[in-house]
């Protein structure tokens, strides 16, 4: 173990000595399939017949996309406990070559000593998602999909600041993302993802990117004394062609109304297709080519796309400086979202506050002139 740590240190030192161009050749981020199959086989299994199990039944149903779980949770199931409502939680600083405007806080599983980064991802269609690292480190009870290693698991209470999520049933993937140096992992992705179906259980969720805090509320509705300080964009939560829930919001981009999926996990300010971009860029100026790449672990890793930087991108009533735009071929991952024109990322709101008001189905954005 000590020899491996020393080797990693030497390799990392060599990478920095070689300069940025050298780093790009030896540092890469990849999706790695879980390797500890023996460890997975020894895990406890979910038993719906156990009176202490939160799951009362599990069925496999056939869909157009294959077989899916149909899980029934007992009536005394998932619960949100807050010491105060609303409550605010500080963002966790991200580091490394893939750090961008994600909403990441810190939490811990009850009865465990480990703490994990919690990614608040409105683009995640599942309630909550973990990977093989969490499963093995915490010896969690699982239920596999037939013939596969992915499945569902029961989580202990998840504590995030003054917020506690109880009786959680999570989807898990027998894989994780990791940054490698000369093929050796130097950082493994152990983020737990909270998705849109869970966020909908709150009256509102606010992302204060100025103070780097996220605010959750179960009791109090969102209100503002002066609505002129805010822009208001109605949204709707609809299933895509695969039945996954998405937040659809209509918002002007470069003076053109676009129907976009609001995705806090989106790496770019705007993620769209070649066809849509040709219509949009006509209204924009000072666009330059970018050499950034787009990485999406749930979509398999690196996304084939071309990227540009827009010096000033009008998004609603705001101007986003040096907006990162990713453009993918027309027939790619957007096939499951045919009614929308792309993804709207958090870079668009990096210097303001955006609120998802689930009671009114409204996205509130604090204007540039607001205090």
């Amino acid at each position: 173990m000590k020899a491996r740590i020393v080797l990693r240190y030497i390799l990392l030192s060599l990478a920095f000595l070689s300069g940025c161009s050298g780093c790009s050749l030896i540092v890469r981020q990849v999706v790695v399939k879980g390797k500890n199959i023996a460890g997975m086989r020894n895990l406890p299994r979910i038993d719906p017949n156990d009176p202490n199990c939160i799951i009362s039944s599990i069925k496999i149903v056939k869909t157009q996309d294959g077989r899916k779980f149909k899980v029934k949770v007992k009536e005394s199931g998932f619960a949100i406990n807050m010491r105060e409502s609303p409550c605010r939680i500080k963002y966790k600083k991200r580091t490394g070559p893939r750090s961008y405007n994600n909403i990441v806080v810190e939490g811990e599983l009850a009865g465990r000593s480990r703490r994990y980064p919690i990614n608040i991802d409105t683009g995640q269609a599942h309630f909550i998602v973990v990977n093989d690292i969490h499963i093995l480190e915490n010896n969690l009870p699982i239920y596999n999909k037939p013939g596969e290693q992915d499945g569902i698991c029961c989580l202990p209470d998840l504590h995030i600041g003054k917020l506690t999520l109880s009786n959680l049933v999570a989807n898990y993937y027998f894989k994780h993302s990791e940054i490698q140096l000369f093929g050796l992992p130097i950082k493994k992705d152990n983020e737990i993802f909270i998705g849109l179906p869970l966020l909908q259980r709150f009256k509102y969720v606010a992302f204060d990117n100025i103070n780097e805090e996220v605010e959750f509320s179960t009791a109090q509705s969102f209100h503002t004394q002066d609505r002129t300080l805010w822009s208001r964009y109605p949204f709707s939560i609809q299933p895509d062609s695969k039945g996954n829930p998405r937040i659809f919001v209509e918002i002007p981009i470069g003076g053109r109304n676009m129907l976009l999926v609001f995705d806090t996990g989106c790496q770019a300010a705007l993620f769209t297709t070649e066809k849509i971009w040709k219509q949009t860029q006509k209204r924009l100026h000072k666009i330059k080519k970018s050499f950034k790449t787009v990485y999406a672990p749930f979509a398999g890793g690196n996304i084939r796309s071309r990227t540009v930087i827009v010096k000033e991108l009008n998004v609603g009533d705001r101007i986003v400086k040096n907006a990162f735009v990713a453009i993918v071929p027309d027939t790619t991952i957007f096939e499951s979202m045919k009614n929308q024109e792309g993804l709207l990322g958090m870079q668009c709101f990096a210097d303001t506050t955006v609120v998802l008001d689930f009671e009114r189905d409204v996205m509130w954005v604090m204007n540039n002139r607001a205090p």
Side-chain angles (χ1 to χ4, degrees), residues 55-328:
I55 296 174
S56 60
S57 67
I58 302 174
K59 292 182 180 179
I60 306 297
V61 295
K62 289 184 179 181
T63 68
Q64 292 181 344
D65 302 312
R67 294 183 295 178
K68 289 187 176 181
F69 283 116
K70 188 174 182 180
V71 180
K72 187 175 180 181
V73 179
K74 293 177 181 176
E75 292 183 4
S76 59
F78 173 72
I80 300 173
N81 301 298
M82 304 173 75
R83 279 183 266 171
E84 57 186 46
S85 180
C87 77
R88 285 194 157 228
I89 301 165
K90 199 74 177 174
Y91 295 173
K92 177 181 171 62
K93 289 288 186 182
R94 249 184 169 188
T95 58
R98 294 289 179 177
S99 58
Y100 46 92
N101 298 301
N102 285 96
I103 308 301
V104 179
V105 294
E106 192 172 62
E108 63 180 352
L109 296 173
R112 272 68 173 178
S113 58
R114 294 182 177 89
R115 300 182 67 84
Y116 295 105
I118 313 295
N119 194 319
I120 313 298
D121 187 358
T122 60
Q124 175 54 250
H126 294 301
F127 203 76
I128 189 165
V129 176
V130 298
N131 63 32
D132 58 306
I133 294 173
H134 310 107
I135 297 288
L136 292 169
E137 285 184 347
N138 298 283
N139 198 41
L140 300 176
I142 64 171
Y143 186 92
N144 296 67
K145 293 179 183 178
E148 299 182 30
Q149 292 169 330
D150 301 337
I152 57 173
C153 69
C154 293
L155 289 182
D157 288 359
L158 178 60
H159 301 297
I160 308 172
K162 295 180 180 179
L163 169 68
T164 298
L165 306 176
S166 301
N167 299 326
L168 289 163
V169 178
N171 285 72
Y172 78 84
Y173 292 101
F174 190 61
K175 61 185 177 184
H176 62 269
S177 176
E178 62 184 40
I179 297 173
Q180 295 182 345
L181 179 65
F182 293 124
L184 294 176
I186 57 174
K187 186 177 181 181
K188 295 182 179 181
D189 179 13
N190 64 346
E191 288 184 354
I192 294 174
F193 286 79
I194 287 179
L196 179 58
L198 194 156
L199 296 176
Q200 286 180 263
R201 301 294 185 99
F202 296 92
K203 288 193 173 183
Y204 73 85
V205 179
F207 305 106
D208 180 350
N209 295 312
I210 300 169
N211 296 305
E212 296 186 330
E213 293 175 330
V214 59
E215 181 172 289
F216 297 93
S217 179
T218 53
Q220 183 175 306
S221 302
F222 177 75
H223 66 275
T224 175
Q225 292 181 340
D226 188 354
R227 290 197 176 189
T228 63
L229 299 179
W230 297 80
S231 294
R232 186 176 182 273
Y233 305 101
F235 67 73
S236 62
I237 298 177
Q238 303 174 25
D240 61 19
S241 63
K242 292 185 177 180
N244 297 319
R246 307 286 181 188
I247 295 183
F248 289 82
V249 59
E250 188 171 330
I251 187 169
I253 303 292
R256 174 179 174 270
N257 280 347
M258 295 180 68
L259 183 63
L260 302 169
V261 169
F262 178 55
D263 185 355
T264 56
C266 178
Q267 185 178 343
L270 179 65
F271 197 80
T272 189
T273 63
E274 291 285 357
K275 180 180 178 181
I276 300 300
W277 181 242
K278 286 178 183 177
Q279 302 171 27
T280 306
Q281 68 177 344
K282 296 175 184 177
R283 302 167 178 264
L284 305 176
H285 305 283
K286 296 184 178 178
I287 303 172
K288 64 179 181 180
K289 184 178 179 181
S290 170
F291 294 97
K292 289 184 178 182
T293 58
V294 179
Y295 185 82
F298 291 106
N302 288 310
I303 301 296
R304 183 167 64 94
S305 63
R306 67 184 182 95
T307 57
V308 298
I309 301 294
V310 182
K311 186 173 182 181
E312 291 186 347
L313 179 66
N314 290 83
V315 178
D317 296 325
R318 301 177 47 74
I319 296 176
V320 181
K321 302 285 188 181
N322 299 316
F324 174 41
V325 178
I327 306 114
V328 297

Side-chain angles (χ1 to χ4, degrees), residues 343-354:
L343 304 179
L344 182 69
M346 281 300 287
Q347 188 197 355
C348 296
F349 313 106
D351 59 348
T352 190
T353 298
V354 57

